[in-house]
Amino acid sequence: MKLHFRRLHTASRKLFPFLRWTGNLDRDTVRADFSAGLTGAAIVLPQGVAFAAIAGMPLEYGLYASIVPAIVAALFGSSWHLISGPTTAASVIMYSSLSVLALPGSQEYVTLAITLAFMVGITQFVMAMLRMGVLVNFISHSVIVGFMAGAALLIVAKQLKDFLGLEFPEQNNLYESVLYLMENWEAFHPMVLLISLITIGVALFFQKKWPQYPGMIAALVIGSLTAVLLNWVFGSDMTGIEMVGALPQRLPPISAPNLSIQVLQELAPLALAMTLFALTEAVSISRALALKSGQSVNSNQEFFGQGLSNIVGSFFSSYVATGSFNRSAANYEAGAKTPLSAIIAGVILIPLILLIAPLTAFLPVASVAALLILVALRLINIAQLKLVFTADRMEAAIVAVTFTSTILFKLEFAILLGVIMSLMIYLRKTSRPRIESRVPGNSQQNRKFRSGVSGPECPQLKILRIEDSIYFGSITYVREMLSLYREHYPEQKHLLILTKGINQIDWAGAELLFHETQERRKNGGDVYLYRLKRNANKVMKRGGYLDYIGKNNIFNSKHEAIAGIFEHLNTDICQNCTKRIFLECKKIPYPNEIEQKPSSRKRQPDGG
């Protein structure tokens, strides 16, 4: 009965992960989470509007996407500090892809964005059910670094027209945008530029002097007051300062995705790309914060929370949401203790929307553009770029390719290309497992082996250590190396493989060991395995490969291995060997000793 209750309790905590932390709530924790939630709600006000502008959505949708997804992800995710909602990168990807299918800001565009959120959520949910959280481990962080740098430049290029007050036609790529700007830069509006510079100046001032306060809100307030004053004195026709306009004073309306076959086919590639990127971003952020807080993060649970947040959010006018680094980091720094802070932030945002909606009529477009450019420039991590290009050529190549393709091609293509490259590099590394020749150490008592071939080797026994898995991707390389050892050391007919470093052996790897055993037995030798791990042992046992190799050829201690293998070595070769590197070698008399006193030990000349 107790065991059944424990299993039920464990299952319920997996299905409802909020049960793990709700029991830890007390007065101090709730007070800390409320303070952090209030800060998070204040931060998301300007950010939500800015993200919606980047995404080509009506501005209120940036706030809608910050309510329901944040609450659902907090309840069903695993991280205590991750905040979900719209992000710069996700908004850029969505805009670049959906803007070719529908007019940004139109009802058709909004429906496509909501449908995309539903598709991304379903994909994330299925991946969680299939326990594919481990996949994010194979996506190099360099993909994110390169993409962020490229996306930052695209954001800057898109916002320069509002930053300068230019009549900027929509361009297809960064090159055309920069070229047009260089040819028409003198047409900017000085007062629009003034508003932009004031907004950035205030934000930077707060960041340096009072980082604990929401500098972005202060920047928008001061920028708005300045813009209203200039328009009142000179008139909007002379200043060229445009306002965002009042937002609808309403809660997120009920919505529904368009699940027609045509729409699903059009959005499928984008949904896959955004799923990979969103999950990588969310899990990376949650793990980075977990290192600071000491919390353990479950990738599969995070997949589940992110997927459910996008599915539910798509029915409450939300476009694709994922982990927000800025809001998550601010949540942690504000002293949040549990995911309750994210829930509080989402709930507080509801009355704030109703209060501030009319005030956006006084918000200048230039101020929003200025903050977007400031946020975009912060996405370029110069320190990480220098480190990657200095330390690892392969990772540098991933950064360069992702960055270049982000600028030149569609963003979803850039992400998929970066992911494919990182997987190719990973497969290249695992396809060439490290194979080292090992020799006995100076101490014969503890049977320690050391790397290298400088020390004496047994003339009949080759000892190899293999690191990493022997699977279908690595068997070609391993087969070639084993063949070379047989060719270059034909007298070493016996092979002892130290398998402690082999994590996995699949069917192809088991076949490889089977054929290696056959080849060596044809030549009078054999294959022996030391410290075969449980997972590898299962495959070898189920396929009957262990029966062929023989239980007597599989050892769990070095003493047993050397003693067992020694019984199969050729006595004549042992008698003429002067190295005597094993303890057992001392039992073999030299030829002159045999003439003086015949040995009572009888062994076959061919060694068996």
Side-chain angles (χ1 to χ4, degrees):
M1 185 69 180
K2 290 183 178 180
L3 181 60
H4 177 73
F5 177 76
R6 287 179 182 177
R7 288 178 177 175
L8 183 63
H9 180 66
T10 302
S12 65
R13 286 163 69 91
K14 287 183 178 180
L15 188 60
F16 306 109
F18 52 83
L19 295 176
R20 301 175 183 176
W21 53 265
T22 50
N24 299 328
L25 295 177
D26 54 29
R27 180 179 298 178
D28 293 336
T29 302
V30 173
R31 184 184 296 112
D33 285 341
F34 182 82
S35 177
L38 186 61
T39 302
I43 290 175
V44 80
L45 286 174
Q47 283 189 343
V49 171
F51 293 149
I54 294 176
M57 297 284 285
L59 300 186
E60 64 272 17
Y61 280 81
L63 302 177
Y64 296 162
S66 303
I67 299 176
V68 174
I71 295 174
V72 174
L75 288 171
F76 294 94
S78 67
S79 175
W80 291 353
H81 299 101
L82 184 71
I83 305 289
S84 287
T87 64
T88 307
S91 299
V92 171
I93 298 170
M94 193 182 81
Y95 175 78
S96 67
S97 302
L98 294 187
S99 58
V100 299
L101 301 177
L103 180 66
S106 64
Q107 185 57 47
E108 181 184 3
Y109 186 92
V110 171
T111 301
L112 289 176
I114 290 172
T115 304
L116 179 63
F118 178 80
M119 294 176 66
V120 169
I122 290 293
T123 308
Q124 292 172 329
F125 187 83
V126 170
M127 292 178 71
M129 293 296 99
L130 296 177
R131 304 189 64 80
M132 298 175 68
V134 70
L135 285 180
V136 296
N137 297 332
F138 302 106
I139 301 176
S140 172
H141 183 64
S142 300
V143 175
I144 307 299
V145 174
F147 174 79
M148 288 295 192
L153 295 183
L154 289 176
I155 294 171
V156 172
K158 294 286 185 183
Q159 297 302 319
L160 277 175
K161 65 183 182 68
D162 294 328
F163 187 88
L164 298 172
L166 287 172
E167 293 296 330
F168 211 110
E170 189 68 30
Q171 304 294 345
N172 294 324
N173 54 49
L174 180 65
Y175 169 75
E176 292 179 355
S177 299
V178 173
L179 182 62
Y180 183 88
L181 178 64
M182 293 175 63
E183 294 175 350
N184 300 275
W185 67 270
E186 71 279 357
F188 72 92
H189 285 77
M191 292 189 184
V192 174
L193 178 59
L194 177 63
I195 296 299
S196 299
L197 295 177
I198 288 175
T199 304
I200 285 184
V202 173
L204 293 176
F205 178 80
F206 269 78
Q207 179 185 348
K208 185 176 181 180
K209 294 293 184 180
W210 302 308
Q212 69 273 24
Y213 297 111
M216 294 180 71
I217 294 179
L220 288 177
V221 170
I222 295 177
S224 298
L225 291 175
T226 306
V228 170
L229 179 61
L230 291 176
N231 279 345
W232 180 68
V233 174
F234 300 101
S236 59
D237 292 336
M238 179 176 291
T239 62
I241 300 174
E242 296 182 5
M243 299 298 181
V244 169
L247 298 179
Q249 201 170 4
R250 62 178 181 179
L251 297 178
I254 301 299
S255 59
N258 180 357
L259 301 181
S260 66
I261 297 298
Q262 181 181 356
V263 171
L264 294 178
Q265 289 177 342
E266 288 179 335
L267 297 182
L270 177 59
L272 177 60
M274 289 203 72
T275 298
L276 292 174
F277 180 81
L279 289 177
T280 303
E281 191 173 26
V283 174
S284 299
I285 294 170
S286 60
R287 286 181 177 175
L289 294 176
L291 289 176
K292 294 183 178 181
S293 63
Q295 184 213 346
S296 178
V297 174
N298 186 312
S299 296
N300 282 312
Q301 190 65 53
E302 209 58 61
F303 277 30
F304 181 81
Q306 291 294 313
L308 202 59
S309 71
N310 278 306
I311 293 172
V312 177
S314 66
F315 292 96
F316 291 91
S317 300
S318 172
Y319 66 95
V320 177
T322 182
S324 169
F325 180 78
N326 290 333
R327 292 180 63 196
S328 301
N331 185 47
Y332 174 79
E333 295 297 335
K337 302 297 182 183
T338 71
L340 179 63
S341 61
I343 298 172
I344 291 174
V347 172
I348 291 177
L349 193 57
I350 295 174
L352 285 181
I353 291 177
L354 301 178
L355 290 174
I356 66 130
L359 299 179
T360 57
F362 306 103
L363 179 63
V365 174
S367 291
V368 176
L371 288 185
L372 289 179
I373 290 176
L374 185 61
V375 170
L377 293 178
R378 289 175 181 171
L379 292 176
I380 305 176
N381 195 323
I382 301 298
Q384 283 190 341
L385 288 172
K386 287 183 178 179
L387 182 62
V388 170
F389 278 91
T390 303
D392 194 324
R393 291 182 179 179
M394 288 295 184
E395 295 296 325
I398 293 177
V399 172
V401 170
T402 307
F403 174 80
T404 305
S405 56
T406 299
I407 293 175
L408 298 179
F409 309 115
K410 290 184 178 181
L411 295 189
E412 67 268 24
F413 174 78
I415 293 174
L416 291 175
L417 183 61
V419 169
I420 290 172
M421 278 198 65
S422 61
L423 288 175
M424 288 175 62
I425 290 176
Y426 168 77
L427 291 174
R428 183 180 182 276
K429 290 179 179 178
T430 59
S431 68
R432 299 173 65 87
R434 199 167 80 182
I435 301 178
E436 287 185 341
S437 180
R438 308 285 275 188
V439 297
N442 295 327
S443 174
Q444 297 178 343
Q445 297 296 331
N446 55 20
R447 303 286 192 180
K448 282 190 175 181
F449 298 133
R450 56 190 176 89
S451 301
V453 293
S454 57
E457 284 189 272
C458 174
Q460 301 184 68
L461 174 64
K462 170 61 71 174
I463 303 175
L464 295 178
R465 179 180 175 90
I466 301 179
E467 298 285 348
D468 220 330
S469 300
I470 302 180
Y471 72 111
F472 66 91
S474 65
I475 58 171
T476 300
Y477 175 76
V478 176
R479 182 187 294 113
E480 291 176 355
M481 292 300 297
L482 294 179
S483 178
L484 285 174
Y485 277 115
R486 288 200 309 271
E487 181 181 343
H488 286 84
Y489 306 98
E491 69 283 359
Q492 291 180 314
K493 298 178 181 179
H494 297 269
L495 173 64
L496 170 61
I497 302 178
L498 309 180
T499 62
K500 186 178 179 180
I502 301 176
N503 296 318
Q504 296 284 347
I505 297 178
D506 67 356
W507 173 81
E511 281 285 311
L512 170 64
L513 295 178
F514 170 76
H515 290 297
E516 180 67 19
T517 304
Q518 281 186 323
E519 290 297 320
R520 289 193 174 269
R521 285 179 178 175
K522 287 179 184 178
N523 297 321
D526 213 336
V527 170
Y528 312 89
L529 304 178
Y530 165 69
R531 294 286 294 273
L532 191 63
K533 287 189 175 180
R534 181 180 300 176
N535 290 335
N537 188 291
K538 285 182 180 179
V539 175
M540 297 283 289
K541 186 175 182 178
R542 290 173 181 173
Y545 301 103
L546 289 187
D547 293 334
Y548 180 79
I549 294 176
K551 294 182 179 180
N552 293 331
N553 285 18
I554 300 171
F555 306 96
N556 290 320
S557 77
K558 292 178 182 177
H559 286 280
E560 293 177 358
I562 299 302
I565 296 171
F566 191 81
E567 294 296 324
H568 299 283
L569 300 183
N570 190 309
T571 307
D572 293 340
I573 297 176
C574 291
Q575 288 175 350
N576 292 284
C577 176
T578 59
K579 297 177 182 178
R580 305 289 166 128
I581 60 175
F582 299 126
L583 292 174
E584 290 78 4
C585 296
K586 296 179 180 180
K587 301 176 183 179
I588 302 295
Y590 288 103
N592 57 350
E593 295 176 340
I594 296 177
E595 293 176 0
Q596 295 176 5
K597 185 178 180 180
S599 174
S600 61
R601 184 174 183 176
K602 296 181 181 181
R603 299 181 63 184
Q604 294 297 325
D606 60 359

